[in-house]
């Protein structure tokens, strides 16, 4: 079945630096890979997603890359800002009706 | 357009008591989900539904029951609450396998 591991669990960066969060999975049939951001006390919200027929997707300062051979996908945030501080979750699914989440990464951006 | 609404937002139970969490969505979504969120564990899928009258087990279904009698509502029940069920519960809905729209969460404490 679907399973996803997320690293690191915490990440601290200086404002303006880049942040990278990586998720690995075991089921090669997984084909949908979204990333969610959860600010303190708020609900998770989708920030970017990618499907298995695409290797990279960008949206302003955030990007997601997918390596199907190695079975991992990563979230890249450039020029980090204090408002990027939050918990980020990767997730995946395979043509199924359910989305399985990683354990989350707490990102802190220091001014 | 309220999106996804969960009630109640907070509840304290004694061990052995029962309760029901209600999730309502006004986006005409077919799919609905119940997740629980615990520190360091991410979001774990309890049960989900792909349409009115259908339900399926997720990753951690034991101790919970669900019903989807109406398309817009998804109920999560705890028949005999245990301290291990202390958590924040999130309901979510989606049109298909894509973006999940989450409710604000329900914080449950079992003493």
């Amino acid at each position: 079945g679907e399973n996803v591991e997320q690293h690191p669990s915490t990440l601290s960066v200086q404002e303006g630096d880049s942040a990278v969060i990586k998720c690995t999975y075991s089921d090669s049939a997984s084909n949908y890979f979204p990333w969610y951001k959860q600010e303190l006390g708020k609900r998770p919200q989708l920030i970017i997603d990618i499907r298995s027929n695409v290797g990279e997707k960008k949206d302003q300062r955030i990007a997601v890359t997918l390596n199907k051979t190695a079975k991992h996908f990563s979230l890249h945030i450039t020029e980090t800002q204090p408002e990027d501080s939050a918990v980020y979750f990767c997730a995946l699914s395979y043509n199924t009706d359910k989305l399985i989440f990683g354990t989350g990464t707490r990102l802190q951006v220091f001014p | 357009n309220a999106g996804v609404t969960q009630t109640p937002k907070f509840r304290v139970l004694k061990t052995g008591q029962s309760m029901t969490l209600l999730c309502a969505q006004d986006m005409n979504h077919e799919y609905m989900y119940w997740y629980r969120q615990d520190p360091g564990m991410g979001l774990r899928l309890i049960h989900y539904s792909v349409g009115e009258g259908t339900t399926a087990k997720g990753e951690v279904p034991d101790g919970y029951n669900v019903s989807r009698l109406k398309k817009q509502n998804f109920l999560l029940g705890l028949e005999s609450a245990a301290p291990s069920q202390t958590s924040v519960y999130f309901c979510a809905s989606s049109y298909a396998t894509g973006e999940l729209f989450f409710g604000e969460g329900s914080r449950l404490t079992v003493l």
Side-chain angles (χ1 to χ4, degrees):
Chain A
E2 295 119 335
N3 186 40
V4 57
E5 292 190 6
Q6 183 172 347
H7 298 282
S9 57
T10 60
L11 180 60
S12 296
V13 300
Q14 197 84 27
E15 183 178 358
D17 287 349
S18 295
V20 180
I21 303 168
K22 182 177 178 179
C23 287
T24 59
Y25 59 98
S26 54
D27 189 346
S28 57
S30 299
N31 63 359
Y32 176 60
F33 309 90
W35 287 87
Y36 283 77
K37 176 183 180 182
Q38 185 179 29
E39 297 177 353
L40 189 62
K42 301 288 183 64
R43 71 192 83 187
Q45 291 188 300
L46 178 72
I47 54 172
I48 195 167
D49 59 6
I50 194 169
R51 296 193 183 267
S52 59
N53 58 345
V54 177
E56 182 177 5
K57 185 176 179 180
K58 289 183 179 179
D59 183 3
Q60 298 182 23
R61 294 186 299 107
I62 61 173
V64 55
T65 58
L66 172 64
N67 185 325
K68 289 189 292 183
T69 302
K71 287 189 272 187
H72 66 73
F73 58 111
S74 299
L75 177 70
H76 305 255
I77 306 174
T78 59
E79 301 173 23
T80 53
Q81 301 168 4
E83 51 264 39
D84 294 328
S85 297
V87 178
Y88 292 82
F89 293 98
C90 65
L92 57 77
S93 72
Y94 159 60
N95 279 347
T96 66
D97 316 309
K98 57 184 180 181
L99 204 58
I100 303 300
F101 285 83
T103 51
T105 297
R106 182 173 300 280
L107 173 65
Q108 291 183 301
V109 180
F110 293 97
Chain B
N1 204 357
V4 180
T5 304
Q6 295 180 226
T7 53
K9 291 184 171 48
F10 301 94
R11 185 73 187 269
V12 178
L13 289 178
K14 294 181 179 178
T15 297
Q17 287 185 319
S18 63
M19 75 158 295
T20 300
L21 293 174
L22 170 64
C23 178
Q25 54 96 3
D26 61 3
M27 296 175 282
N28 201 34
H29 285 166
E30 287 293 336
Y31 299 178
M32 297 188 75
Y33 312 80
W34 276 108
Y35 288 89
R36 60 176 290 174
Q37 184 173 31
D38 304 290
M41 305 287 285
L43 292 154
R44 292 183 292 170
L45 182 62
I46 305 171
H47 287 280
Y48 64 104
S49 168
V50 301
E52 181 179 318
T54 72
T55 63
K57 294 180 180 180
E59 301 170 275
V60 289
D62 293 343
Y64 304 95
N65 56 76
V66 288
S67 65
R68 183 94 181 271
L69 298 179
K70 293 183 178 181
K71 185 178 182 179
Q72 63 269 33
N73 296 337
F74 194 29
L75 278 64
L76 178 70
L78 286 72
E79 290 187 348
S80 180
S84 60
Q85 293 177 306
T86 293
S87 187
V88 178
Y89 292 85
F90 282 98
C91 176
S93 70
S94 66
Y95 177 68
T97 306
E99 180 176 4
L100 295 190
F101 293 85
F102 285 86
E104 292 183 305
S106 298
R107 184 174 295 276
L108 173 65
T109 301
V110 183
L111 302 175

